[in-house]
Amino acid sequence: MTHLLIFLASRHRVWNLDEKYPRLIRESFPEVEVVTVRDKEDSLRHLPEAEILYSWSLPEKHFPRARRLRWIHLPSAGVEDALYPALVESSIRLSCSRGISSAALADHALGMILAFSRGLATAIRERGNERLRDTFFEGNPMPSELDGRVLAILGFGSIGREVARRGRSFGMRIHALKRRAAAQEPLADRLFGPPGWEEFLASADFLVICLPLTPVTAGILDARALSLLKRSAVVVNIARGGLVREDALVQALESGRLAGAALDVYAEEPLPPSSPLHRLGNTVLTPHIGGLHPHYLDRATAIFLVNLGRFLKEEPLLHEVDKQAGY
């Protein structure tokens, strides 16, 4: 009998797995022994017998205990925390729940863009100020239309495409950059490959970052990249904080070299109270909630169930991670 260990305990109740999911797994795969644990001590007790792990992570310090482990499925899309050397070099397979929050993240990105283009961020900060309408344009840009503006999307996977669909509905021109540029892309007015990096950045009115965090992409938006953007440009990061050099971003925002930044992710999370990002008037900050929606664990578990059937039949897995590439 194959041993499956489910460990989704979290300090946030929304991330814990309802009992209906283990029950569904047991009913669908009676040949699998399903063990559900709710705390670290219980998980460590069962980990040596587990062949499959459905969990947010397997911490590196506990890896030596996973002596029989053959496959890990993460209910998240991001995998960077799981890619420590011991796991990367092992034969353990890794898959993730890519795509389950693409629509929510795209909605979040467009909401952030509207916060800047229509002056919503300023209005929310100044709520209760009766003189706001008379003083709104003192030091604030006039609300603008999105129609005709360039929405530059860095990373054109499932999230980037959803951002593009929403941007097109606002009349925006879509510029996209991906590692392997295809000859045609119906959702993009212009598609760039890596050689067009500088032209791509220079074209952006709003730059939305949708890349995975890998050794290649870490810090990709550094001081040099930020200097290529228009002074009127706004950076929107809904992906991972490590993609942006936060010190360089703060400097660009403080100096007026960049019009604004809308951030859902940060180099350190939660964002420390001492971060200068809090005091800047040209930022919109949310606490890594862009991917949240009521169906998150439903969708993640649906992918896991498909993959469990494939794993037992020794078939290719959905969203299997190339551990060397990092995604």
Side-chain angles (χ1 to χ4, degrees):
M1 179 172 279
T2 301
H3 295 267
L4 162 64
L5 176 64
I6 299 175
F7 179 50
L8 290 177
S10 165
R11 70 177 184 273
H12 301 297
R13 203 153 46 92
V14 69
W15 294 125
N16 287 330
L17 202 65
D18 188 274
E19 179 54 34
K20 68 180 181 181
Y21 300 111
R23 185 169 60 247
L24 177 60
I25 296 169
R26 291 186 182 101
E27 291 171 355
S28 302
F29 298 94
E31 70 273 34
V32 175
E33 181 183 358
V34 180
V35 178
T36 305
V37 297
R38 296 292 180 179
D39 57 53
K40 183 176 70 174
E41 290 71 23
D42 202 18
S43 71
L44 292 177
R45 186 161 54 251
H46 290 283
L47 186 57
E49 298 301 317
E51 296 173 74
I52 301 168
L53 180 63
Y54 179 30
S55 178
W56 296 107
S57 68
L58 173 58
E60 184 173 11
K61 64 182 178 180
H62 301 321
F63 181 80
R65 290 175 174 261
R67 293 184 287 271
R68 298 183 62 192
L69 197 60
R70 298 163 57 202
W71 167 43
I72 301 172
H73 183 82
L74 304 177
S76 59
V79 299
E80 62 275 5
D81 291 344
L83 295 177
Y84 45 83
L87 196 146
V88 170
E89 294 163 9
S90 75
S91 61
I92 297 171
R93 300 171 73 181
L94 178 66
S95 59
C96 67
S97 302
R98 189 181 307 137
I100 63 173
S101 291
S102 297
L105 284 162
D107 290 349
H108 203 82
L110 262 294
M112 288 175 143
I113 288 170
L114 286 167
F116 276 99
S117 69
R118 299 305 306 163
L120 302 180
T122 300
I124 291 169
R125 277 194 294 267
E126 297 293 332
R127 66 181 181 271
N129 183 349
E130 295 179 359
R131 295 184 62 250
L132 178 61
R133 189 164 184 264
D134 297 330
T135 62
F136 190 87
F137 302 117
E138 296 176 8
N140 293 307
M142 181 178 291
S144 61
E145 299 173 335
L146 293 181
D147 188 48
R149 307 291 292 282
V150 172
L151 175 58
I153 302 172
L154 179 55
F156 212 52
S158 62
I159 298 169
R161 290 171 187 276
E162 291 295 333
V163 173
R165 289 188 180 95
R166 286 154 177 75
R168 289 179 74 88
S169 73
F170 282 90
M172 302 183 81
R173 290 182 290 141
I174 308 301
H175 291 186
L177 187 142
K178 58 187 298 188
R179 189 163 57 93
R180 294 189 182 92
Q184 291 184 331
E185 174 50 67
L187 285 173
D189 297 288
R190 292 193 64 186
L191 189 63
F192 296 80
W197 171 243
E198 294 188 2
E199 184 182 2
F200 167 77
L201 290 175
S203 73
D205 291 310
F206 294 92
L207 174 67
V208 180
I209 305 171
C210 303
L211 290 172
L213 180 61
T214 72
V216 174
T217 62
I220 191 170
L221 210 67
D222 56 11
R224 165 65 178 157
L226 290 167
S227 73
L228 296 171
L229 294 167
K230 301 173 185 176
R231 297 182 72 89
S232 58
V234 173
V235 170
V236 180
N237 190 4
I238 54 170
R240 286 292 185 268
L243 296 164
V244 179
R245 286 294 304 270
E246 216 163 84
D247 54 345
L249 179 63
V250 167
Q251 185 175 6
L253 292 168
E254 287 180 329
S255 67
R257 178 65 193 77
L258 191 65
L263 308 173
D264 185 52
V265 290
Y266 310 93
E268 181 182 348
E269 295 184 4
L271 184 65
S274 60
S275 171
L277 290 168
H278 287 296
R279 61 176 168 75
L280 293 172
N282 52 351
T283 59
V284 172
L285 309 176
T286 55
H288 203 153
I289 58 171
L292 291 182
H293 56 83
H295 310 296
Y296 189 101
L297 284 176
D298 286 343
R299 294 175 185 172
T301 304
I303 292 174
F304 173 72
L305 282 168
V306 171
N307 269 349
L308 181 53
R310 292 186 172 208
F311 180 82
L312 295 174
K313 295 177 183 177
E314 299 184 352
E315 295 177 350
L317 301 177
L318 294 177
H319 310 316
E320 183 157 9
V321 176
D322 181 333
K323 294 189 294 182
Q324 296 297 330
Y327 60 93

